[in-house]
Amino acid sequence: QSALTQPASVSGSPGQSITISCTGTSGDVGGYSDVSWYQQHPGKAPKLIIYDVDSRPSGVSNRFSGSKSGNTASLTISGLRSDDEADYYCNSYRTSDTLVFGGGTKVTVL
Amino acid sequence: QVQLAESGGGVVQPGRSLRLSCASSGFTFSQYALHWVRQAPGKGLDWVAGISYDGSIKYYADSVRGRFTISRDNSKKSLSLQMNSLRPDDTAKYYCARDESGYRSSRWDYWGQGTLLTVSA
């Protein structure tokens, strides 16, 4: 089971916007609306920040937004802050009743 | 409040077995699907297995199918992962996570803090 493809790292200055891509196939990201994003700070459990491609759980900042085009989902963080520095993972349903994560993206705030 | 707490990790030799548990509190356990997710040291998240709200449907990653078995006891509000034929590449922190749906989705709103499994001779 190959993971979804994410860039290893993305960086930006405070206040800027950054976008993280998550590329799969028609058998996962492209074929279903069941795509989520997780934020993980070092030593902590992951936290759900986006589900169903572009929905935000209650309590998650509206600086986080999601979208999808074809086989690629994207997470955009606007108004970048120092506490956004973390690892980010996409997750998607995949055909044959499995789920798959992306390899993860380390976000650095310069 | 919703809480999930994993236990059962430790050091085990290759080829041996181990059972992980996840105790829950603060929500109606029997209404939610659950998953096991692992993270090898310094690596990314890796979905392992999932189970529907009533235990009737189970899902496995190819890497563990046939070796691991996920189960739940709704009367005890607990989730388990029986791991057989363990390999060094099973070494990881294992998390349990609550799925907001009753069957299967990628929307996991609560996670435990994880339990560490090391497979080594």
Side-chain angles (χ1 to χ4, degrees):
Chain A
Q1 276 175 309
S2 55
L4 305 175
T5 300
Q6 296 181 231
S9 62
V10 172
S11 62
S13 299
Q16 286 187 330
S17 294
I18 61 169
T19 297
I20 302 168
S21 61
C22 169
T23 301
T25 69
S26 58
D28 39 63
V29 174
Y32 304 93
S33 61
D34 189 2
V35 179
S36 297
W37 288 89
Y38 293 86
Q39 176 193 60
Q40 186 181 34
H41 287 105
K44 301 294 187 182
K47 174 188 175 183
L48 178 68
I49 56 173
I50 294 289
Y51 67 93
D52 291 350
V53 175
D54 59 6
S55 298
R56 268 188 316 275
S58 173
V60 172
S61 172
N62 59 8
R63 297 184 302 104
F64 294 95
S65 62
S67 62
K68 189 179 81 167
S69 177
N71 295 336
T72 298
S74 298
L75 171 71
T76 297
I77 308 174
S78 58
L80 200 61
R81 299 174 10 170
S82 59
D83 59 352
D84 295 329
E85 192 160 286
D87 294 324
Y88 292 81
Y89 297 90
C90 59
N91 183 18
S92 171
Y93 172 74
R94 172 175 277 178
T95 311
S96 301
D97 277 337
T98 59
L99 291 128
V100 60
F101 280 101
T105 298
K106 181 177 181 61
V107 168
T108 301
V109 181
L110 302 172
Chain B
Q1 71 279 26
V2 174
Q3 290 190 325
L4 297 168
E6 304 90 343
S7 61
V11 180
V12 63
Q13 294 178 327
R16 303 298 290 267
S17 298
L18 199 69
R19 188 178 187 90
L20 303 182
S21 297
C22 174
S24 72
S25 61
F27 66 102
T28 305
F29 184 81
S30 60
Q31 292 184 350
Y32 294 88
L34 296 160
H35 298 268
W36 287 100
V37 177
R38 66 186 179 183
Q39 187 168 34
K43 302 297 185 181
L45 301 174
D46 182 30
W47 174 75
V48 174
I51 188 168
S52 62
Y53 73 103
D54 61 355
S56 64
I57 305 174
K58 302 176 184 182
Y59 316 90
Y60 297 97
D62 289 346
S63 58
V64 307
R65 187 175 291 115
R67 299 189 300 125
F68 291 9
T69 302
I70 189 172
S71 62
R72 64 190 296 160
D73 185 334
N74 284 348
S75 67
K76 296 181 178 179
K77 302 181 181 180
S78 70
L79 174 72
S80 296
L81 185 68
Q82 176 65 40
M83 304 181 292
N84 299 330
S85 303
L86 284 164
R87 309 185 306 216
D89 63 355
D90 293 319
T91 294
K93 178 177 281 191
Y94 284 73
Y95 295 97
C96 62
R98 188 182 86 163
D99 186 328
E100 287 202 20
S101 80
Y103 282 98
R104 180 261 308 129
S105 80
S106 70
R107 183 179 173 180
W108 307 339
D109 56 352
Y110 287 94
W111 296 61
Q113 288 304 305
T115 186
L116 184 61
L117 167 68
T118 301
V119 183
S120 173

